[in-house]
Amino acid sequence: MTPAEKKNLFELLELLREDLITDQQFEMLDEILAADTNARLFYVHYAKMCSELYNFQEAKGNITLEHLTEKIASTEDDFIENNLLAEIICEHDFADEESEEDDCELQQKLARERILGLRKDNNNAYRRSRLKLSGISRFLGAIAAMLIVATCLTLIERKAAEPIIPRPIQEIPFVATITDVIDARWANGSNYAIDSTLRRGPKTLQSGYAEITLNDGVMVVVEGPCEFEFDKSNHLVVYSGNITANVPRKAIGFKVITPYATIMDLGTEFGVSVNKNHYSEVHVFDGEVKLFAGEGQPEAQEQIIRQGGAKYVNVNSTQISDAQYRNDLFARRIVSKERLVWRGEKIDLADVVGGGNGFGTGMKNSGIDPGTGHHVSKITYAERKNQGFVKVGNSPFIDGLFVPDGQNYSCEITSTGLCFTNCPDTLGVCFADLNNCNMMSIGSDDDSQQIELLFNKQRFNYPSRTLISMHANIGVTFDLDEFRNMLSGAKLERFSAEAGLSESAMHDGQFYMTDEDFANSDHATASFWVLVDGQLRFQSPDQHPRSGSKKVDVKLKPEDRFLTLIVTDSDMATGRAWGLFAMPTLEFK
């Protein structure tokens, strides 16, 4: 048991002794004793100590502080020894019969001030106040009463003559399952792996990450170090650290409880951070939540926080204040097979073309052969004729490639048979692999020239500034559902990029030319298309190198599956029509 868990158990036993324990607190005590062998041993030591003190009371002899402390020290548990010895000393030194009534009221008030196991930093001062009873004899009488109640483990009032029937220990139900972990290290030697089930009670993730799915479908990502517990099936208590919660519609009303705030979900995804000083901060990624600060106090506040909003609660007041929203503060998803901790970053489709997952795992200066669908590390510049839709077998994120042509066949653009019904007539050939290179090759194999691709007079530097290079005529289709599956149902919001022809390709790398030079140069025009599930969402026809770039911003719906990018020739000419989709990204909510 950690010190925090011991402290929690000790305080529950004190409330039981004083007959101030609530039904909810009794259930918590019952569950702790059923789930933890060390907790039961702690209880036995505590009961043994109480029995010894009770025997002193019955003996009616001269009871000295030295005798009592000697007995307490024999409990074999430093936590019990230190805490109860402090109680006795406080009573012996500071008891005041005149303040008995006031102190009893204070005792009851403070017993109910516990906020799910966490007290304020000045807890010791409060405890000293509540222990000013009328003397050692009164304290021993309270111990005797506690012994009777604790031994029975029941709150039901009984007559003195009735037999004592111990309350049976009930099996604590599982409330959640570990669904993924990355380098997770737990306190007390716990080894929660994937598919491990969790019961209620405090837990400490010392380092690493854990994805936990509750029985009602709520998915929680915990980032170590973090102290937390599942108080109920729909309540998560966070004492310190960072968590995110993704709440499905059926679990609306899920609550995250911190020392000084409660966050109630209204159908959303959000993050909660509790620092070492117990400041609570809330960031909403999607939907909205209701934040309560100082709940149960006259000056309590509540506010609705919507997508893109952030608030914090100051421990020194009940005020709710604005915080700077940060999309990257929280670990929102973990994918152990990819060694990925996702903090809301955009997916880079140029990285996907290089065989990656969109987060920098792909190869630069690589691509895909439109004739075979295989990834290649060396780009081939050669004419390839239309072969229909070609599936890409070694990347789950790319559905396939094709050579667009509406002249002689139905232009199939997905593995499910969707077609580009308004595809223009083209030459029906492409001249290079789909790739993420910032260089192009001009000339024959024996006498080729490598030229850097420039776009709006800017250079590309993988992975900070990326591109998908698509010489007309070529098309590629991405499977959006695979990205959602990788990130456990994260909500895609939009595809964005800048589309256009590289100006450096029109005259052997001389990207800055006069109008006369441009008029006399060997150049071509091309058209750009973006489709979602076969439906046209963006087009920019007949662009030439001096047209500049066109901003692409395509909003995505939850039901959208296939994203298709296409570059086609214009007027049946493809010479140096190096189409680019610069900074091609998928953005999530």
Side-chain angles (χ1 to χ4, degrees):
M1 295 171 60
T2 66
E5 291 169 336
K6 251 183 192 182
K7 179 176 181 290
N8 182 44
L9 177 56
F10 185 81
E11 291 178 351
L12 288 174
L13 291 174
E14 282 190 301
L15 291 174
L16 183 66
R17 179 196 73 189
E18 298 162 0
D19 200 18
L20 293 174
I21 195 165
T22 66
D23 290 343
Q24 181 181 5
Q25 289 166 334
F26 186 87
E27 289 179 6
M28 184 184 301
L29 175 60
D30 197 26
E31 292 169 357
I32 292 173
L33 294 176
D36 193 331
T37 302
N38 291 328
R40 292 193 290 273
L41 184 60
F42 182 95
Y43 168 74
V44 170
H45 289 163
Y46 196 11
K48 178 183 176 183
M49 179 273 302
C50 294
S51 176
E52 294 290 347
L53 294 177
Y54 182 67
N55 289 337
F56 268 102
Q57 171 74 359
E58 289 296 306
K60 299 183 182 298
N62 293 325
I63 302 174
T64 68
L65 189 58
E66 289 74 13
H67 291 155
L68 295 176
T69 54
E70 180 181 349
K71 285 299 180 182
I72 293 174
S74 68
T75 61
E76 302 177 6
D77 193 295
D78 291 340
F79 189 90
I80 296 175
E81 174 183 339
N82 294 336
N83 281 272
L84 287 194
L85 181 59
E87 289 189 6
I88 292 176
I89 292 174
C90 287
E91 292 168 8
H92 184 76
D93 291 344
F94 304 110
D96 184 357
E97 293 184 1
E98 294 182 359
S99 62
E100 175 181 344
E101 183 177 351
D102 292 339
D103 285 335
C104 287
E105 293 178 358
L106 179 59
Q107 178 185 17
Q108 295 178 9
K109 176 182 177 182
L110 294 176
R112 292 182 172 86
E113 274 190 346
R114 169 179 171 80
I115 304 176
L116 296 166
L118 209 81
R119 293 181 184 270
K120 297 183 178 179
D121 292 336
N122 61 349
N123 183 59
N124 289 334
Y126 277 82
R127 287 175 53 84
R128 292 179 65 89
S129 297
R130 66 187 285 223
L131 290 170
K132 291 182 181 179
L133 302 178
S134 60
I136 287 183
S137 60
R138 176 172 292 277
F139 171 72
L140 295 179
I143 289 289
M146 186 283 303
L147 180 62
I148 296 172
V149 178
T151 305
C152 298
L153 284 180
T154 180
L155 292 176
I156 302 175
E157 294 184 358
R158 289 182 168 87
K159 296 181 180 179
E162 291 180 347
I164 297 175
I165 303 175
R167 175 173 175 157
I169 296 177
Q170 299 179 350
E171 182 72 12
I172 303 174
F174 297 112
V175 295
T177 303
I178 300 285
T179 46
D180 206 355
V181 294
I182 294 180
D183 301 332
R185 186 166 65 90
W186 301 86
N188 301 324
S190 300
N191 185 25
Y192 297 120
I194 296 176
D195 294 331
S196 295
T197 50
L198 302 179
R199 302 178 188 270
R200 298 176 185 175
K203 293 169 181 61
T204 300
L205 179 63
Q206 294 178 328
S207 61
Y209 306 86
E211 179 186 279
I212 304 171
T213 302
L214 279 67
N215 295 344
D216 57 4
V218 175
M219 187 185 71
V220 175
V221 176
V222 182
E223 179 177 359
C226 183
E227 293 185 63
F228 66 98
E229 70 171 295
F230 297 104
D231 178 50
K232 295 182 179 179
S233 60
N234 64 340
H235 284 186
L236 172 63
V237 184
V238 180
Y239 301 114
S240 65
N242 289 4
I243 68 95
T244 60
N246 186 10
V247 184
R249 185 174 297 275
K250 66 179 181 180
I252 289 177
F254 172 78
K255 290 183 179 180
V256 174
I257 302 170
T258 74
Y260 295 95
T262 297
I263 302 96
M264 184 173 71
D265 165 75
L266 301 177
T268 186
E269 181 183 358
F270 61 96
V272 176
S273 177
V274 182
N275 68 14
K276 63 181 180 180
N277 295 321
H278 301 152
Y279 279 70
S280 300
E281 197 166 316
V282 185
H283 295 239
V284 180
F285 312 125
D286 183 31
E288 59 185 31
V289 302
K290 181 178 287 189
L291 171 63
F292 300 88
E295 188 173 7
Q297 301 182 30
E299 62 273 29
Q301 287 191 358
E302 63 180 70
Q303 284 189 24
I304 298 292
I305 311 175
R306 295 181 172 82
Q307 179 180 339
K311 303 284 184 179
Y312 76 91
V313 178
N314 190 327
V315 298
N316 297 320
S317 69
T318 57
Q319 297 298 314
I320 297 175
S321 304
D322 291 333
Q324 182 179 358
Y325 176 76
R326 288 182 54 189
N327 194 42
D328 61 344
L329 181 62
F330 298 89
R332 295 174 56 184
R333 300 289 191 281
I334 61 173
V335 186
S336 57
K337 66 178 181 180
E338 301 277 352
R339 298 292 299 173
L340 171 64
V341 177
W342 182 60
R343 297 181 180 275
E345 301 95 334
K346 298 177 182 179
I347 286 178
D348 181 6
L349 293 182
D351 181 72
V352 176
V353 168
N357 59 14
F359 298 104
T361 61
M363 293 176 57
K364 66 178 181 179
N365 299 325
S366 63
I368 306 172
D369 186 332
T372 64
H374 296 157
H375 275 93
V376 294
S377 58
K378 182 179 180 180
I379 306 305
T380 301
Y381 301 92
E383 180 179 308
R384 260 72 60 89
K385 293 184 178 180
N386 167 45
Q387 298 184 40
F389 185 79
V390 179
K391 294 183 180 179
V392 176
N394 56 351
S395 174
F397 308 110
I398 301 180
D399 190 41
L401 276 66
F402 56 93
V403 175
D405 184 12
Q407 190 172 201
N408 299 314
Y409 78 109
S410 178
C411 183
E412 188 174 333
I413 62 174
T414 71
S415 60
T416 60
L418 295 178
C419 296
F420 181 15
T421 56
N422 295 320
C423 181
D425 296 344
T426 70
L427 286 177
V429 295
C430 67
F431 294 88
D433 297 329
L434 178 80
N435 65 82
N436 61 13
C437 298
N438 64 345
M439 304 292 290
M440 66 176 177
S441 180
I442 294 178
S444 63
D445 291 339
D446 296 333
D447 187 24
S448 63
Q449 179 184 4
Q450 293 292 314
I451 295 177
E452 182 179 12
L453 290 172
L454 299 164
F455 195 42
N456 292 334
K457 302 181 182 180
Q458 294 184 351
R459 288 179 166 83
F460 293 90
N461 183 20
Y462 187 93
S464 60
R465 182 170 169 78
T466 63
L467 60 87
I468 300 177
S469 178
M470 303 175 64
H471 192 293
N473 297 280
I474 196 169
V476 57
T477 297
F478 299 93
D479 191 337
L480 301 179
D481 279 352
E482 291 295 333
F483 295 112
R484 296 185 181 103
N485 292 339
M486 176 178 66
L487 296 177
S488 303
K491 296 179 181 179
L492 278 168
E493 189 168 38
R494 60 176 20 91
F495 163 71
S496 61
E498 293 183 16
L501 290 173
S502 170
E503 62 263 32
S504 61
M506 70 184 184
H507 197 258
D508 297 345
Q510 300 300 317
F511 65 91
Y512 184 80
M513 301 190 304
T514 65
D515 291 339
E516 182 179 356
D517 291 334
F518 174 70
N520 296 327
S521 65
D522 177 19
H523 69 278
T525 58
S527 299
F528 293 79
W529 317 81
V530 178
L531 288 76
V532 176
D533 291 341
Q535 302 299 309
L536 187 62
R537 296 284 188 89
F538 169 87
Q539 63 176 323
S540 181
D542 301 328
Q543 279 194 241
H544 56 77
R546 297 297 289 263
S547 299
S549 63
K550 303 295 182 182
K551 184 175 178 59
V552 183
D553 186 12
V554 176
K555 293 184 178 180
L556 298 171
K557 302 176 182 177
E559 62 270 20
D560 293 337
R561 179 178 178 186
F562 294 111
L563 173 70
T564 303
L565 311 181
I566 304 172
V567 177
T568 61
D569 60 45
S570 298
D571 300 325
M572 297 293 186
T574 62
R576 302 186 185 180
W578 287 94
L580 305 179
F581 281 92
M583 302 299 289
T585 58
L586 293 173
E587 184 176 347
F588 290 81
K589 286 187 176 181

